[in-house]
Amino acid sequence: MSPQPARRDRRGGPSGPPRGRGGPRRPPAQDPAREAALDTLGAVREKDAYANLVLPRLLRDRRIGTRDAALATELAYGASRTLGLLDAVLGECSERPLTEIDGVVLDGLRLGVYQLLRTRIPPHAAVSASVELVRSRAGTGAAGFANAVLRRATERDEDGWVEFLAPDSAEDPLGYLALRHPHPRWVAEAFAATLAEAGAEDELAELLAADDARPAVHLVARPGEISSAELAAITGGDEAPYSPYGVRLEAGAGDPADLEPVRERLAAVQDEGSQLAALALTRPQIEGSDLRWLDLCAGPGGKASLLGALVGLDGGTLDAVEPATHRADLIRSVVKDLPVRVHIADGRRSGLPSAAFDRVLVDAPCTGLGALRRRPEARWRRQPSDVAPLTTLQTELLGTALDLVRPGGVVAYVVCSPHLAETVEVATAAAARPGVTQLDARPFFPDVPGLGEGPGVQLWPHRHGTDAMFCALFRRD
């Protein structure tokens, strides 16, 4: 249960936002990094786009070099992740309500405040570059306004603003932590409830801090094609501590899509927690046939690829179900050359035969609160009202999976969320069905510490360095 040690970058320094001494002393005539970051924030704000999909495309299309790409990534993802704190600061520094500020100007201000609070770019350079960025997109008048707001923002550093803006930590510790490590309050409350259920409520600050940090990149080595040791040697990463197929790269190590093993389909990007949850399905002993597996919610295909490779080693097959045509095409592209059949269907009404599969994975649609590190804008987009319809869908999918697995077979229910309504409550309801036994999942996460009292397993960023994946295992009697 010990916290993950601080990781160090390739030069031996601590990981985290860039804190080099080399910030520009004056804004360059062309500022491709900040322009790409601004356009990413604009796409997220205007089109509900995903920052981690928009930015890589912009970097490729504009042929932005390595150094500028690193800065653009830090600014776009960092500003998206810390939006609540940035807007709180801007609300104090602006004489206008934020709702009355032009969108592109507001995005420019957010990038400026992020640089002031979380990078070592000199304040005068951060202000000047941000003002010029606003001027280039919104004109001289907007630049004057941005200059006035950002100069007020320079009056305090991050600690100073948090102490000024946050509720008293003694009177409202959760509210204080939610601003200290920017999270919506309802998300912090959900995390606190799950930790309290496990008797670990004192870990909330550690969890929120880990969730506020840039995550390491995790790769999965395709079974039968390359070992994790070989993959680590080729990529310069480290073998993952828990998954036999995992490799961890330092945060900010570059675009993993450019790595040769990834381009050659010998490896893929996949969080180690996702690998562990998929592997847990494969580990309980079952009697009889074990050659027909099913991934009932397979898009975008990461777990289907790992499971397809594993069952294929023994001559078996995997059926993968995905309702969206474009995501089904994506699955086909990642499982090419594997014994995987892709079906375009709703997992609740797939048309597949009942009691026909030896092992079934339900990687159910969820709030994704366990992957907020990798989806920087998601924490501010999700709402408490999202939870109830998702739990209904999860319950229906899990019930279908228990119908599709044969007697003696195993079902894994997996969500990337620690919200109790999506995890323990759904699993408990499934376990109450006649003819279903919930297994203690902990033995199927070998050598992973801090798994709690079971029977489900909840992984955590601050304990395991993974996304906050939940896994429950069931056997059909």
Side-chain angles (χ1 to χ4, degrees), residues 349-404:
R349 298 175 289 277
S350 66
L352 294 169
S354 298
F357 295 91
D358 304 310
R359 300 181 192 265
V360 180
L361 172 67
V362 185
D363 183 15
C366 68
T367 57
L369 298 184
L372 297 180
R373 303 176 305 160
R374 303 187 191 281
R375 299 167 187 164
E377 76 291 332
R379 71 189 62 186
W380 310 109
R381 182 173 290 167
R382 279 295 185 192
Q383 299 297 323
S385 58
D386 295 334
V387 176
L390 284 167
T391 58
T392 299
L393 176 60
Q394 292 154 6
T395 299
E396 292 172 353
L397 286 165
L398 181 50
T400 301
L402 291 166
D403 292 334
L404 291 170

Side-chain angles (χ1 to χ4, degrees), residues 154-231:
T154 64
E155 293 173 359
R156 295 179 174 87
D157 62 10
E158 180 177 356
D159 288 341
W161 278 115
V162 169
E163 294 306 317
F164 182 75
L165 293 168
D168 185 274
S169 60
E171 296 181 1
D172 183 5
L174 190 142
Y176 176 85
L177 290 173
L179 190 69
R180 166 83 279 176
H181 309 290
H183 284 74
R185 186 183 182 95
W186 79 272
V187 174
E189 288 174 341
F191 289 176
T194 304
L195 289 170
E197 183 79 6
E201 52 266 50
D202 59 340
E203 296 180 21
L204 179 60
E206 196 178 356
L207 166 59
L208 294 177
D211 217 38
D212 189 27
R214 292 185 299 168
V217 174
H218 295 180
L219 302 179
V220 58
R222 177 175 284 189
E225 297 288 349
I226 189 173
S227 71
S228 59
E230 292 168 333
L231 182 61

Side-chain angles (χ1 to χ4, degrees), residues 61-409:
D61 291 348
R62 299 178 185 181
R63 298 183 179 181
I64 294 176
T66 303
R67 183 172 179 177
D68 281 333
L71 177 59
T73 301
E74 176 60 34
L75 298 184
Y77 292 176
S80 296
R81 190 179 298 119
T82 57
L83 196 66
L85 175 60
L86 303 182
D87 282 0
V89 172
L90 287 171
E92 186 65 27
C93 296
S94 171
E95 294 182 355
R96 300 181 204 167
L98 301 192
T99 54
E100 295 181 7
I101 299 175
D102 176 75
V104 72
V105 176
L106 181 59
D107 290 339
L109 289 170
R110 287 165 171 165
L111 289 175
V113 174
Y114 182 79
Q115 292 168 73
L116 291 171
L117 300 191
R118 291 209 165 185
T119 76
R120 285 185 180 172
I121 295 172
H124 68 275
V127 170
S128 181
S130 301
V131 168
E132 291 306 313
L133 188 65
V134 170
R135 188 193 311 281
S136 71
R137 299 295 181 92
T140 301
F145 169 71
N147 185 60
V149 172
L150 291 174
R151 292 201 177 282
R152 286 197 63 189
T154 64
E155 293 173 359
R156 295 179 174 87
D157 62 10
E158 180 177 356
D159 288 341
W161 278 115
V162 169
E163 294 306 317
F164 182 75
L165 293 168
D168 185 274
S169 60
E171 296 181 1
D172 183 5
L174 190 142
Y176 176 85
L177 290 173
L179 190 69
R180 166 83 279 176
H181 309 290
H183 284 74
R185 186 183 182 95
W186 79 272
V187 174
E189 288 174 341
F191 289 176
T194 304
L195 289 170
E197 183 79 6
E201 52 266 50
D202 59 340
E203 296 180 21
L204 179 60
E206 196 178 356
L207 166 59
L208 294 177
D211 217 38
D212 189 27
R214 292 185 299 168
V217 174
H218 295 180
L219 302 179
V220 58
R222 177 175 284 189
E225 297 288 349
I226 189 173
S227 71
S228 59
E230 292 168 333
L231 182 61
I234 293 172
T235 60
D238 298 319
E239 289 185 72
Y242 311 123
S243 169
Y245 304 103
V247 167
R248 292 188 180 186
L249 307 177
E250 296 288 353
D255 187 351
D258 293 335
L259 294 169
E260 184 176 349
V262 176
R263 293 201 311 270
E264 295 185 355
R265 307 168 59 82
L266 301 176
V269 178
Q270 186 177 52
D271 180 75
E272 189 180 7
S274 294
Q275 298 174 41
L276 295 172
L279 292 172
L281 171 68
T282 72
R283 287 172 168 153
Q285 292 292 320
I286 62 176
E287 296 182 359
S289 170
D290 193 12
L291 295 176
R292 193 172 183 188
W293 297 0
L294 170 64
D295 185 348
L296 195 59
C297 311
K303 294 184 181 70
S305 179
L306 177 57
L307 293 174
L310 287 171
V311 75
L313 292 176
D314 294 326
T317 61
L318 176 81
D319 288 81
V321 177
E322 163 58 43
T325 300
H326 70 285
R327 283 167 65 89
D329 290 340
L330 184 59
I331 298 169
R332 290 190 181 97
S333 71
V334 300
V335 302
K336 191 163 55 178
D337 304 326
L338 293 173
V340 177
R341 291 185 292 264
V342 179
H343 307 267
I344 301 176
D346 185 322
R348 295 166 293 182
R349 298 175 289 277
S350 66
L352 294 169
S354 298
F357 295 91
D358 304 310
R359 300 181 192 265
V360 180
L361 172 67
V362 185
D363 183 15
C366 68
T367 57
L369 298 184
L372 297 180
R373 303 176 305 160
R374 303 187 191 281
R375 299 167 187 164
E377 76 291 332
R379 71 189 62 186
W380 310 109
R381 182 173 290 167
R382 279 295 185 192
Q383 299 297 323
S385 58
D386 295 334
V387 176
L390 284 167
T391 58
T392 299
L393 176 60
Q394 292 154 6
T395 299
E396 292 172 353
L397 286 165
L398 181 50
T400 301
L402 291 166
D403 292 334
L404 291 170
V405 74
R406 68 169 174 83

